[in-house]
């Protein structure tokens, strides 16, 4: 084919020079290429375009994977050329003359061979598209079997792959990227979350945990993938355990604690630790998701000291310094599960602060309390009291890891306070200060052998080191 101008093509064939409308020829091919992603439609379009050509009597494609292929390979008066592409053989191009059986000339052979080469190239592309479409359909089938919602977006925020569940949870509209952005919390939408972000949505009465991830980096260069997991059943089990154990422990007059662990919305990841948390805690403890960035822990029949001890053992697992924790106890924060939950939410603070051992300092002389606070303040949460009544009230209303008191108090006996502390808070450590040798000996005679006595004036470094060792710091 030799271009004559922009609107006509000159064809030299068996019937001599022939002019075919250039726009008509291009339009016929364009109609075929419009179906490139649909292999069968594309081949049908090519055949239709070839059938309208006036260069030969009849031109048709015979593809190897079509029914009837291979029959009548060579017929009299027909030219057959192989369509051989880079990916393999596609079939045969067959042509007959305009006026029945005639001998084909060299220019006819050149024209047909060029057409066969052209068809081989475009069929290569169509074959690739067919494989891509086939793989995409298989991928969609597999993704629809997944119990989670999955959507992958390309760099232009178009859906590259996904399943019906994720589409439904995002509203099923045409612009799923816009729906996803509307669902993001303000902190995540600000773009400060790096290559990963975590958030949750309440959809159809369900708690859906979502993880948004960029496989390459935070600039979206590699596209985005969002995975959506229905946590409703896990959340329901946690809340059911909180209600059941609250009323059971209340009936049996046992202690109970409820803890919330929170990670930031943008950096998140606390839910990914659920298997490790369950494996590291007592079998009686219940662990589950509260929302996308909070995990709840129910500790039946345990008080604050034992709960904090369990949390300290979890510290290596919760190495993220941004983890916050809130603790509520049955009785002290009321007897309703909802009250425990709200108290834990209100009391959220850095985990390290919750894990700091709480010491109750009691001495008639406030200067001694101040000295002890100066020595121990860096590692402990300290509560000072010079009033016997206030100390008794504190022991009844909150938990302490240790009590430090004077043996010979002016208004009361330090030994009596220590016994009260042990009765109200089993497992509490007791440290005594004493002026005289007789007072120190009295402790040895009445208190457990592990009670520690510091003679006044005491060595501040020795006192601090001893208290830290006894409390496991």
């Amino acid at each position: 084919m030799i271009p004559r101008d922009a609107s006509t093509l000159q064809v030299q064939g068996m019937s001599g020079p022939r002019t075919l409308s250039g726009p008509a020829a291009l339009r016929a091919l364009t109609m075929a290429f419009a179906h490139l992603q649909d292999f069968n439609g594309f081949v049908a379009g090519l055949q239709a375009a070839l059938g309208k050509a006036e260069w030969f009597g009849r031109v048709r494609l015979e593809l190897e994977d079509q029914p009837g292929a291979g029959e009548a390979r060579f017929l009299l008066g027909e030219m057959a050329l192989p369509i051989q592409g880079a990916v393999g053989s596609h079939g045969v191009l067959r042509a007959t003359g305009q006026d029945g059986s005639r001998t084909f000339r060299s220019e006819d052979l050149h024209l047909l061979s060029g057409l066969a080469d052209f068809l081989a190239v475009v069929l290569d592309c169509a074959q690739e598209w067919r494989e891509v479409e086939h793989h995409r359909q298989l991928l969609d089938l597999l993704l629809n079997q997944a119990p989670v919602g999955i959507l992958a977006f390309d760099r232009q925020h178009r859906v590259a792959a996904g399943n019906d569940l994720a589409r439904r949870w995002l509203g099923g509209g045409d612009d799923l990227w816009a729906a996803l952005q509307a669902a993001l919390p303000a902190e995540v939408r600000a773009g400060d979350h790096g290559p990963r972000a975590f958030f949750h949505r309440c959809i159809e009465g369900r708690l859906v945990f979502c993880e948004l991830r960029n496989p390459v980096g935070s600039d979206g260069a590699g596209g985005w993938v969002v995975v959506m997991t229905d946590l409703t059943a896990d959340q329901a089990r946690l809340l059911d355990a909180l209600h059941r154990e609250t009323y059971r422990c209340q009936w049996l007059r046992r202690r109970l604690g409820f803890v919330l662990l929170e990670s930031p919305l943008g950096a998140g990841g606390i839910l990914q630790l659920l298997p490790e948390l369950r494996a590291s805690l007592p079998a009686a403890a219940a662990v589950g998701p509260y929302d996308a960035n909070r995990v709840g822990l129910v500790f039946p029949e345990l008080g604050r000291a034992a709960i904090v001890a369990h949390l300290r053992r979890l510290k290596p697992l919760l190495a993220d310094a941004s983890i916050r924790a809130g603790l509520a106890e049955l009785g002290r924060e009321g007897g309703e599960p909802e009250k425990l939950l709200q108290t834990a939410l209100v009391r959220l603070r850095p985990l390290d602060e919750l894990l700091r051992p709480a010491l109750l300092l009691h001495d008639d002389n406030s200067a001694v309390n101040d000295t002890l606070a100066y020595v121990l303040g860096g590692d402990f949460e300290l509560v000072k009291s010079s009033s016997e009544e206030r100390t008794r009230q504190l022991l009844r209303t909150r938990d302490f890891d240790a009590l430090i008191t004077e043996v010979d108090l002016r208004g009361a006996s330090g030994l009596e306070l220590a016994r009260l502390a042990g009765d109200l808070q089993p497992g509490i450590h007791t440290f005594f200060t004493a002026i005289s040798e007789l007072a120190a000996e009295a402790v040895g005679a009445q208190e457990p052998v592990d009670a520690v006595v510091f003679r006044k004036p005491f060595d501040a470094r020795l006192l601090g080191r001893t208290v830290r060792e006894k409390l496991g710091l």
Side-chain angles (χ1 to χ4, degrees):
M1 291 183 287
I2 305 173
R4 300 182 67 185
D5 55 39
S7 61
T8 62
L9 295 174
Q10 186 178 39
V11 180
Q12 179 67 40
M14 323 176 34
S15 306
R18 172 182 299 277
T19 300
L20 178 68
S21 169
L26 291 175
R27 188 172 294 110
L29 286 175
T30 300
M31 291 175 65
F33 275 90
H35 300 279
L36 184 60
Q37 297 182 27
D38 175 11
F39 186 79
N40 292 332
F42 175 66
V43 172
L46 283 178
Q47 182 60 66
L50 293 173
K52 295 177 182 179
E54 299 178 0
W55 311 321
F56 303 99
R58 184 183 62 173
V59 180
R60 65 186 177 90
L61 291 173
E62 186 179 285
L63 300 184
E64 292 182 347
D65 58 354
Q66 289 184 336
E71 299 177 2
R73 280 290 182 181
F74 302 103
L75 299 177
L76 186 62
E78 183 181 69
M79 181 181 292
L81 289 87
I83 304 176
Q84 182 70 33
V87 298
S89 175
H90 295 288
V92 178
L93 176 67
R94 298 182 181 277
T96 61
Q98 282 275 13
D99 302 322
S101 300
R102 290 184 54 182
T103 303
F104 288 89
R105 295 184 294 182
S106 60
E107 56 267 30
D108 299 320
L109 181 60
H110 286 303
L111 179 60
L112 284 172
S113 64
L115 181 58
D117 290 341
F118 169 75
L119 292 175
V121 173
V122 296
L123 285 171
D124 278 347
C125 296
Q127 182 75 21
E128 291 179 5
W129 275 106
R130 180 167 67 170
E131 293 300 319
V132 169
E133 178 64 17
H134 179 63
H135 292 157
R136 188 192 65 79
Q137 292 174 356
L138 286 177
L139 179 60
D140 286 347
L141 177 64
L142 290 174
L143 291 179
N144 277 325
Q145 307 308 309
V148 298
I150 303 172
L151 275 180
F153 297 90
D154 62 19
R155 296 178 63 180
Q156 286 72 42
H157 301 155
R158 296 172 301 203
V159 176
N163 59 10
D164 296 339
L165 184 60
R167 291 183 173 91
R168 190 181 85 230
W169 279 346
L170 284 177
D174 294 331
D175 193 346
L176 292 177
W177 178 259
L180 174 63
Q181 294 302 302
L184 294 175
E187 302 94 314
V188 177
R189 201 161 47 239
D192 234 0
H193 50 76
R196 300 174 70 185
F198 305 86
F199 60 100
H200 70 274
R201 297 193 69 200
C202 292
I203 306 171
E204 303 171 356
R206 298 177 177 275
L207 172 66
V208 178
F209 170 66
C210 307
E211 179 179 350
L212 182 63
R213 179 180 295 190
N214 182 340
V216 176
S218 60
D219 58 355
W224 293 92
V225 176
V226 61
V227 179
M228 312 171 76
T229 307
D230 186 358
L231 296 180
T232 308
D234 292 322
Q235 183 195 47
R237 281 191 287 270
L238 170 69
L239 298 179
D240 178 69
L242 176 60
H243 281 73
R244 183 180 65 253
E245 293 298 333
T246 296
Y247 295 126
R248 186 183 70 84
C249 292
Q250 196 172 30
W251 175 260
L252 297 175
R253 300 183 181 277
R254 305 283 176 80
R255 307 185 73 177
L256 176 138
F258 178 68
V259 175
L260 277 178
L261 299 177
E262 178 190 73
S263 59
L265 276 171
I270 186 71
L271 294 189
Q272 298 180 2
L273 300 177
L274 278 173
E276 291 87 347
L277 289 172
R278 290 191 177 103
S280 303
L281 291 172
V287 184
Y290 175 69
D291 57 25
N293 62 311
R294 297 185 186 98
V295 167
L297 300 87
V298 182
F299 292 95
E301 304 186 25
L302 291 181
R304 179 186 179 279
I307 293 171
V308 170
H310 282 299
L311 294 178
R312 287 193 185 114
R313 286 191 285 272
L314 293 177
K315 186 68 183 298
L317 182 62
L318 304 173
D320 186 349
S322 59
I323 295 289
R324 300 203 305 160
L327 171 61
E329 294 180 80
L330 177 63
R332 293 178 178 175
E333 278 76 48
E336 297 297 323
E338 293 77 11
K339 180 63 175 178
L340 293 175
L341 179 57
Q342 290 302 316
T343 301
L345 284 168
V346 170
R347 290 185 176 174
L348 283 169
R349 54 178 173 158
L351 179 62
D352 286 340
E353 290 185 14
L354 179 64
L355 298 185
R356 291 175 68 191
L359 303 186
L360 176 57
L361 310 180
H362 180 96
D363 198 288
D364 294 328
N365 187 346
S366 59
V368 175
N369 285 337
D370 292 339
T371 302
L372 291 170
Y374 177 79
V375 174
L376 302 170
D379 297 312
F380 301 96
E381 179 185 356
L382 303 175
V383 178
K384 297 182 289 185
S385 173
S386 296
S387 164
E388 178 189 353
E389 184 59 34
R390 181 168 185 266
T391 297
R392 292 176 180 272
Q393 182 65 20
L394 285 169
L395 288 171
R396 291 188 180 96
T397 55
R398 63 166 295 180
D399 285 324
F400 293 94
D401 294 273
L403 166 69
I404 303 181
T405 185
E406 167 66 46
V407 176
D408 291 325
L409 297 168
R410 289 194 300 269
S413 167
L415 297 177
E416 292 181 5
L417 286 180
R419 281 192 287 271
L420 175 65
D423 292 339
L424 294 175
Q425 302 186 25
I428 190 172
H429 295 271
T430 306
F431 300 91
F432 294 97
T433 58
I435 298 176
S436 66
E437 185 69 31
L438 291 176
E441 292 176 356
V443 172
Q446 300 186 41
E447 291 297 311
V449 294
D450 61 348
V452 179
V453 182
F454 300 100
R455 291 284 305 277
K456 292 181 180 178
F458 47 77
D459 183 329
R461 291 184 179 180
L462 175 62
L463 184 147
R465 183 170 62 252
T466 303
V467 173
R468 291 182 182 91
E469 289 174 355
K470 283 287 186 179
L471 296 182
L473 296 184

